[in-house]
Amino acid sequence: MTLAFAMDWLNLLFRWAHLIVGIGWIGTSFYFIALDLSLRKREGMKEGVLGTAWEVHGGGFYHVEKYMTAPKELPDDLIWYKWEAYLTWVTGFALLVVQYYFNATAYLIDPSVLRLMPSEAILISVASLGAGWLIYDRLCKSPIGRNTPLLSVCVFILILGAAYMFTHVFSGRGALIHIGAFIGTIMAVNVFGVIIPNQKKIAASLMAGEAPDPALGAIGKQRSVHNNYLTLPVLLMMVSNHYPMLTGHPHAWLLVALVLIIGGMVRHFFNRHDAGDELGKFWWSLPIAAIATIAAIVMTAPRDFSGSETVSDATVLQIAQTHCAICHSANPTYEGFDEAPKEIELDTVANLHRYADLIMAQAVQSDAMPLGNETGMTSEDRAVLGAWISQQK
């Protein structure tokens, strides 16, 4: 068994696990925020109950009560929703290690952006994830944290600043996946470092016959709401490496700003709908999301090469053999590849015709390929490829 084969299986298993536990975490986040917003005060509620909700699912009816701090007694089988968040981060970081740290030269580093040693790139990665949480946590604990609109703007600026930094340090793919990891780390540590510890303190006070501190619940709720609003943007960042129009854009950090706006506005619309607010109070969120989406589409519009000079098959084949065939051939020479990725071979004119649309997306409209641009493919080479592909249509 080769190392490449073993790493492929680790990549697959960690990715699968990350997907499974991530669905669980996102599902509970969406559910509990919707539940919290749907609570209503009703006659005959128990002492200390803030509100109740009636739900139907799977042929059964459910009656849920929420206490303002905690009831006078707690059952032994109290369910804690935490492992979904913990395992989402653990599997995500493991995937980051397998995909980007072990292949830093190919996936994380782009010499045309910044020349780094693998160890330097990994150190920057780890340090930035930790620094992001520390800055975010300080913002929440400062007086800014008591002003929700101001805090939202500051967190937006923090993420945008990280996006700008990542896009000027790492490759396109590495940058956007790190923005997702940056946000995901904030969300996971919110659960591990704030929400669950505060809940445990409340439970401990109750068991000791003391009145729980209401601030603990309020702080936990604040972080939970933050996680809810960040979920949609982080999901898109995590799948961004499938879309070179995002990862290969020269101003990808501005696209991140639009993604934050789109995700936040869509999430706000559904949250206020779940809360039962009148449409007139939150209708504006969807138009803002639509405008941001249109702006992103305009920013990523493909370049037109139809008016370029005629390019010969021999010229484009030479470019492909220099920059593509080291990986995409019957016998790759690039270290770590035993066969052409996705079985795409680009060492003949016929195959260049066959995969023209993929080449256009990956190597012309963006610089996602070659990996890490190790072969030093120039913008002129990409323009020649684009002109040749346009000629074929």
Side-chain angles (χ1 to χ4, degrees), residues 244-246 248-250 300-305 357-368 382 386 390:
M245 63 183 180
L246 300 179
H249 197 280
T300 56
R303 290 174 290 168
D304 183 14
F305 294 92
D357 288 341
L358 286 175
I359 296 170
M360 179 66 87
Q362 298 282 347
V364 178
Q365 298 295 351
S366 78
D367 58 0
R382 299 181 193 279
S390 296

Side-chain angles (χ1 to χ4, degrees), residues 16 63 91 112-113 124 126 160 169 173 184 186 198 204 233 244 298-299 312 324 332-333 335 361 375 382 390:
W16 192 12
H63 183 214
T91 55
S112 66
V113 176
I124 292 171
V126 174
L160 199 58
V169 172
R173 289 183 174 187
I186 289 174
N198 283 12
V298 171
M299 281 186 65
S312 67
C324 310
T333 58
E335 182 180 359
T375 61
R382 299 181 193 279
S390 296

